[in-house]
RNA sequence: GGGGAGAUUCCAGAGUGGCUAAAUGGGGCAGACUGUAAAUCUGUUGGGCAACCUUCGGAGGUUCGAAUCCUUCUCUCCCCA
């Protein structure tokens, strides 16, 4: 009897869930900065937000428990290209998608593999239909098309799916940038159509984010932002930045594009960045960020703090027995001394990269939470000016 | 006691007359890292800003020129008794 009831309830609940698609509401603004809530079937995301990168279904060196309870991550990334190669669609589908596979029950966003079109440029070829990759693992050939990338992200079950794009390399001449942008636009149409022809596989809703390209050319960026805005989507992304262009150029393009994208939808600046980049991005109206920097640089002994950047391998920390971050509420930040963390890195102990990754991610999440608070209080620019200066100081 | 091998820049270890301030690896020091082919990669490592100076166990010698050849001293390791 109870079983039947539970089945009915869960079925009803599921229908209710599915009818309640991804929603974004802006609670407060401060200048162009926004504080909002993005609703997904796996929980709400308070924006502006930083999303830890977990390319292969794991945030390197960090357990999901720590990610949830200490870092307070609200959403993490996965990567379609990497998960397609390993463990592959079969295993993921059997597991009930990536959520079922790795046990993370909060939102997941998957990058489409568009970045790999850029970063694996030596072992891929762009064809009329899509991209042929040579696996970086065993050299085998695989074709990615807008359609099968949508299918794969359905299989992964990402709450937010990204359109398949070409992350235009930098520098790119205007002609190439334009061609690349047009290709991304064509692919977006195919992604969008295929996305709406297919359904979620695991009972939770999925949203598709289109991506702006256009390199550093303002007219192309304008054209691209207008083009992708025509597609009704729960959010919009800016790609092809932080690929080597001057920082000021990135800021300029970001601001320009934000002014064009729909006001009532979240904007995601892909692959960015340093604490300063994030602070500035928010001030231009960005709501979502992701970057490997806190984890990768953490593994390489770089610590981001509210007071500046530390290289934990440096000799100057050898006999500094103060905590790695006094003003952090995180337990490991108070109990780990600089001297000890340096020792871990110098000795090659895996705990060093782990602690640094946890610290950096927790710092990034605290930074965007503070930014959000400043927006709520309406004094974002004042907060941002001070925070930007402090966080980028070299200690 | 007899026989043999060897001592090189922080360490290990190449080099056996000029191209050698001396390969390579380790260690040290510093730097890079932005939708992760990364627990990775790069630079540097006798002194001096430089011309140049001081270095290959010690001392002496041969030579235009020596880490490299000769003499001797000191020390280390191996084998036999």
């Amino acid at each position: 009897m109870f079983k039947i009831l539970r089945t009915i309830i869960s079925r009803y609940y599921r229908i209710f869930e599915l009818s309640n698609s991804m929603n974004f509401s802006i609670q407060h603004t401060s200048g162009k900065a926004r504080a909002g809530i993005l609703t997904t079937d796996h929980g709400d995301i308070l924006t502006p937000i930083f999303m830890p990168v977990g390319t292969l279904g794991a945030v390197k060196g960090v357990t999901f428990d720590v990610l949830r309870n200490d870092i307070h991550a609200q959403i993490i990334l996965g990567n379609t290209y990497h998960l397609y190669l390993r463990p592959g669609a079969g295993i993921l589908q059997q597991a009930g998608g990536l959520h079922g596979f790795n046990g993370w029950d909060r939102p997941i966003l998957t990058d489409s593999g568009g970045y790999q079109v850029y970063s694996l440029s030596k072992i891929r070829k762009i064809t009329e239909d899509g991209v042929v990759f040579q696996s970086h693992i065993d050299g085998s050939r695989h074709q990615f098309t807008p359609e099968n990338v949508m299918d794969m992200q359905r299989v992964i079950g990402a709450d937010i799916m990204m359109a398949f794009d070409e992350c235009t390399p930098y520098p790119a001449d205007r002609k190439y940038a334009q061609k690349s942008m047009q290709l991304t636009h064509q692919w977006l149409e195919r992604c969008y159509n295929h996305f709406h022809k297919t359904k979620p596989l695991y009972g939770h809703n999925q949203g598709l984010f289109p991506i702006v390209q256009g390199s550093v050319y303002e007219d192309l960026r304008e054209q691209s932002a207008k083009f992708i805005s025509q597609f009704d989507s729960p959010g919009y992304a800016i790609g092809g930045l932080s690929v080597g262009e001057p920082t000021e150029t990135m800021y300029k393009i970001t601001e320009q594009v934000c002014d064009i994208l729909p006001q009532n939808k979240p904007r995601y600046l892909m692959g960015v960045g340093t604490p300063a980049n994030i602070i500035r991005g928010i001030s231009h109206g960005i709501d979502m960020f992701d970057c490997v920097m806190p984890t990768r640089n953490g593994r390489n002994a770089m610590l981001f703090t509210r007071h500046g950047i530390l290289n934990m391998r440096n000799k100057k920390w050898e006999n500094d027995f103060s905590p790695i971050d006094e003003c952090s509420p995180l337990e490991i930040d108070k109990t780990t001394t600089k001297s000890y963390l340096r020792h871990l890195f110098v000795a090659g102990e895996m705990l060093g990269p782990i602690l640094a990754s946890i610290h950096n991610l927790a710092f990034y999440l605290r930074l965007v939470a503070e930014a959000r608070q400043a927006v709520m209080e309406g004094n974002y620019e004042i907060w941002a000016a001070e925070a930007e200066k402090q966080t980028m100081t070299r200690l």
Side-chain angles (χ1 to χ4, degrees):
Chain A
M1 183 64 197
F2 265 125
K3 246 184 197 167
I4 296 165
L5 196 65
R6 204 181 301 158
T7 311
I8 292 167
I9 290 170
S10 76
R11 211 169 269 172
Y12 177 78
Y13 183 60
R14 193 161 282 187
I15 291 163
F16 173 74
E17 272 189 337
L18 278 169
S19 65
N20 182 20
S21 63
M22 200 171 289
N23 181 57
F24 184 63
S25 68
I26 294 171
Q27 296 178 292
H28 215 285
T29 59
S30 177
K32 289 180 180 175
R34 303 118 64 89
I37 301 178
L38 179 63
T39 307
T40 78
D41 288 349
H42 282 103
D44 292 349
I45 299 160
L46 302 180
T47 66
I49 190 64
F50 178 81
M51 308 180 281
V53 178
T55 305
L56 286 93
V59 177
K60 294 184 194 301
V62 184
T63 64
F64 289 109
D65 170 57
V66 168
L67 214 45
R68 168 192 277 276
N69 297 314
D70 298 318
I71 293 166
H72 304 299
Q74 298 179 48
I75 170 173
I76 62 171
L77 258 69
N79 183 279
T80 305
Y81 166 82
H82 289 278
L83 292 168
Y84 159 82
L85 289 181
R86 275 191 309 213
I91 297 296
L92 283 168
Q93 189 147 13
Q94 281 179 54
L98 187 54
H99 287 97
F101 188 53
N102 70 11
W104 175 255
D105 60 1
R106 290 183 181 180
I108 292 175
L109 179 153
T110 41
D111 183 34
S112 60
Y115 187 75
Q116 279 63 45
V117 177
Y118 156 78
S119 67
L120 303 180
S121 60
K122 289 193 194 93
I123 51 172
R124 60 85 174 135
K125 198 177 169 191
I126 299 177
T127 67
E128 222 173 281
D129 200 31
V131 180
V132 175
F133 286 102
Q134 234 181 307
S135 160
H136 67 278
I137 302 162
D138 64 6
S140 55
R141 284 182 169 73
H142 305 267
Q143 188 178 33
F144 268 31
T145 64
E147 289 78 18
N148 71 20
V149 165
M150 290 298 100
D151 289 337
M152 186 63 204
Q153 290 184 94
R154 288 292 195 196
V155 168
I156 292 168
D159 297 84
I160 299 172
M161 298 167 43
M162 298 306 299
F164 190 50
D165 68 331
E166 187 201 359
C167 177
T168 308
Y170 179 86
D173 61 49
R174 222 198 103 87
K175 202 173 162 190
Y176 183 91
Q178 182 166 25
K179 224 178 115 191
S180 169
M181 178 195 76
Q182 283 163 350
L183 184 68
T184 291
H185 291 176
Q186 284 166 25
W187 286 356
L188 171 60
E189 287 186 311
R190 288 167 58 188
C191 282
Y192 191 83
N193 290 336
H194 197 73
F195 174 79
H196 286 289
K197 261 189 243 167
T198 55
K199 286 189 164 56
L201 301 174
Y202 313 111
H204 63 267
N205 270 290
Q206 296 178 279
L208 174 67
F209 280 27
I211 304 169
V212 179
Q213 289 292 339
S215 189
V216 294
Y217 304 99
E218 289 184 44
D219 58 323
L220 295 183
R221 284 284 176 180
E222 181 183 345
Q223 199 182 322
S224 187
K226 283 180 176 164
F227 180 83
I228 74 159
S229 297
Q230 297 169 348
F231 294 79
D232 182 33
S233 299
Y236 298 84
I238 305 171
L241 289 178
S242 67
V243 286
E245 78 284 0
T247 311
E248 286 306 321
T249 304
M250 173 173 77
Y251 293 152
K252 199 175 71 185
I253 298 288
T254 302
E255 182 168 26
Q256 183 214 350
V257 170
C258 279
D259 289 345
I260 299 168
L261 292 176
Q263 291 298 303
N264 59 341
K265 294 291 171 68
R267 300 150 183 166
Y268 164 27
L269 180 55
M270 305 182 79
V272 174
T274 65
N277 293 163
I278 289 171
I279 290 164
R280 288 287 280 276
I282 292 169
S283 76
H284 293 140
I286 297 292
D287 307 291
M288 303 163 73
F289 301 88
D290 80 285
C291 192
V292 302
M293 197 171 273
T295 42
R296 180 187 287 169
N297 289 27
R299 287 195 303 283
N300 294 324
M302 184 182 277
L303 238 51
F304 295 95
T305 75
R306 195 65 171 72
H307 304 291
I309 296 168
L310 298 79
N311 181 344
M312 288 316 301
R313 269 196 281 256
N314 286 172
K315 192 172 183 62
K316 59 183 156 193
W317 311 122
E318 192 174 34
N319 56 5
D320 186 330
F321 300 101
S322 64
I324 54 176
D325 195 348
E326 287 111 342
C327 60
S328 163
L330 196 65
E331 190 64 22
I332 61 156
D333 282 345
K334 287 184 284 197
T335 56
T336 308
T337 66
K338 296 186 182 82
S339 173
Y340 178 62
L341 188 56
R342 173 184 141 86
H343 160 72
L344 294 178
F345 273 107
V346 167
E349 275 293 331
M350 64 193 281
L351 187 58
I354 291 172
L355 290 175
S357 297
I358 295 171
H359 161 85
N360 282 345
L361 285 177
F363 168 71
Y364 266 60
L365 267 296
R366 253 185 286 123
L367 186 75
V368 291
E370 266 185 56
R372 188 174 202 278
Q373 185 59 36
V375 174
M376 293 299 278
E377 288 164 7
N379 59 359
Y380 184 74
E381 287 306 324
I382 295 164
W383 175 86
E386 187 67 12
E388 182 179 342
K389 203 170 65 189
Q390 288 178 342
T391 54
M392 297 311 283
T393 306
R394 294 272 171 172
L395 297 177

